[in-house]
């Protein structure tokens, strides 16, 4: 029986979880399973797999999550987005998830499709994540539902207070825990948690950790998210731009420091954006004062 993440959160003060991105090729899928096989040895509380709408990817997350759960017996959270799917398609995916015993879902609006800066929903599509939560909840109590949170504020949101207000709407619609976007400064995470607690939000806020392994890619990613990159990150990684081994070492060192600060400050665990790689995650976890 696959456990609900909400039940795991009730029992454990801290959780450690690993996110995989949806692979683009058969070889990528096999690499994901090899990575999961290695990371399972670190006793994760759950895995998660991202979602990307499209002709070839529509059912892929469901297939991979189902296979991961069967092969490794680790609860695996299915990301699901509003972007690219109409209400009937979402309903069909939710139905299939139930059939496959996938009871953990991360409800999201989704990134705009490639090449589009802003996404405008079609008339039969949902506009916001809270509407997807309502759709999931209209089923029954089968699902445990998580949502995304943005310590630095979401790129399309005017300010942090409004961002927190929209997060509360998602929780009021039935979401039960939050996984954050990655951030550089742990102060941003703790301020975010304080802001949410002051609004009466009690849900667990699990920090998302991105170990830096590719500086130019990081800059592109941050640009797309509207996340400012602090000067100290440039100072560490710019001189190492052509040295992948040194970048790897610096990325692990920085992530270990960040994770220890988070745990020492009371964070309820860590969610790693693994980028489907084993080594940095294993090294970081083995270095932590857990
Ligand atoms: P929403 O909460 O719907 O917010 C979207 C925008 O609308 C925000 O600007 C918000 O301020 C605004 N808004 C929200 N509610 C309201 C309202 N009631 N009225 C007016 N405005 C409102 N993307 C993928 O495509 N696939 C993935 O698998 C994926 N996984 C992710 C995992 C994590 C942990 C995180 C942090 C992000 C992930 N994303 C993924 C990215 C995410 O889909 C995007 O950041 C998206 O732009 C926002 O999603 P959301 O669920 O927070 O949307």
């Amino acid at each position: 029986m696959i456990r609900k993440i909400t039940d795991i959160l009730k029992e454990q003060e801290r959780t450690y979880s690993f996110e995989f991105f949806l692979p683009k090729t058969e070889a990528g899928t096999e690499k994901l399973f090899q990575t999961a096989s290695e990371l399972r040895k670190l006793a994760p509380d759950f895995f998660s797999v991202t979602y990307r709408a499209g002709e070839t990817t529509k059912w892929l997350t469901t297939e991979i999550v189902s296979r991961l759960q069967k092969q490794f017996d680790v609860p695996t959270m299915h990301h699901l987005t509003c972007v690219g799917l109409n209400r009937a398609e979402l309903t069909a995916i939710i139905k299939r998830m139930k059939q496959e015993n996938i009871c953990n879902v991360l409800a999201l609006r989704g990134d705009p499709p490639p090449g589009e800066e802003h996404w405008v929903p079609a008339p039969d599509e949902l506009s916001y994540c809270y509407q997807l939560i309502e759709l999931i909840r209209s089923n029954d109590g089968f699902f445990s539902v998580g949502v995304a949170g943005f310590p630095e504020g979401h790129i399309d949101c005017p300010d942090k207070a409004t961002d927190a207000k929209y997060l509360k709407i998602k929780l009021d619609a039935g979401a039960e825990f939050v996984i954050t976007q990655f951030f550089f400064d742990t102060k941003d995470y703790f301020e975010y948690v304080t802001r949410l607690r002051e609004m009466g939000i009690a849900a667990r806020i699990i920090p998302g950790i991105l170990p830096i392994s590719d500086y130019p890619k990081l800059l592109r990613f941050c640009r797309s998210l509207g996340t400012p990159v602090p000067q100290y990150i440039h100072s560490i990684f710019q001189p190492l731009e052509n040295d992948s081994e040194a970048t790897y070492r610096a990325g692990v060192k920085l992530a270990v420091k960040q994770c220890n600060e988070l745990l020492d400050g009371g964070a309820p665990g860590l969610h790693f954006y693994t980028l489907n790689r084993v080594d940095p995650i294993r090294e970081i976890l083995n270095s932590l004062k857990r």
Side-chain angles (χ1 to χ4, degrees), residues 37 42 58 76 196 211:
S37 167
L42 300 171
K58 185 173 169 185
T76 305
L196 300 178

Side-chain angles (χ1 to χ4, degrees), residues 28 36 43 50 58 63 72 75 112 121 153 165-166 194 197 200 215 230 264 279:
T50 65
K58 185 173 169 185
E63 283 162 22
F72 301 116
K165 193 181 87 185
Y166 291 147
T194 302
R197 298 291 178 247
Y215 174 65
D264 287 346
D279 292 346

Side-chain angles (χ1 to χ4, degrees), residues 61-80:
T61 300
T62 317
E63 283 162 22
I64 290 178
V65 170
S66 176
R67 194 177 142 198
L68 281 169
Q69 293 197 147
K70 285 183 185 135
Q71 204 162 321
F72 301 116
D73 199 25
V74 174
T76 305
M77 182 163 65
H78 188 306
H79 295 206
L80 189 59

Side-chain angles (χ1 to χ4, degrees), residues 69-139:
Q69 293 197 147
K70 285 183 185 135
Q71 204 162 321
F72 301 116
D73 199 25
V74 174
T76 305
M77 182 163 65
H78 188 306
H79 295 206
L80 189 59
T81 66
C82 308
V83 170
L85 296 164
N86 62 34
R87 189 176 272 272
E89 289 170 314
L90 282 168
T91 303
I93 293 173
I94 293 165
K95 188 173 166 202
R96 175 86 70 89
M97 286 166 67
K98 274 173 94 170
Q99 287 163 349
E100 296 290 333
N101 200 18
I102 298 168
C103 57
N104 296 297
V105 57
L106 189 71
L108 300 146
R109 188 201 61 184
D111 288 324
E116 287 179 37
E117 204 171 321
H118 292 289
W119 170 71
V120 181
D124 57 351
E125 289 177 339
L126 308 178
S127 304
Y128 297 113
C129 173
Y130 79 88
Q131 297 164 320
L132 175 58
I133 299 165
E134 286 170 355
L135 183 68
I136 295 167
R137 284 282 172 236
S138 69
N139 270 271

Side-chain angles (χ1 to χ4, degrees), residues 14-74:
R14 283 178 179 171
T15 54
Y16 297 88
S17 48
F18 304 140
E19 177 170 319
F20 305 116
F21 67 81
L22 197 65
K24 291 197 166 93
T25 60
E26 286 279 321
T29 301
E30 285 327 298
K31 181 175 179 226
L32 187 160
F33 278 87
Q34 283 160 17
T35 300
S37 167
E38 289 303 311
L39 291 183
R40 184 183 186 273
K41 296 174 190 161
L42 300 171
D45 293 293
F46 61 93
F47 289 146
S48 86
V49 182
T50 65
Y51 189 84
R52 192 174 62 247
E55 268 310 302
T56 52
T57 52
K58 185 173 169 185
W59 296 103
L60 193 55
T61 300
T62 317
E63 283 162 22
I64 290 178
V65 170
S66 176
R67 194 177 142 198
L68 281 169
Q69 293 197 147
K70 285 183 185 135
Q71 204 162 321
F72 301 116
D73 199 25
V74 174

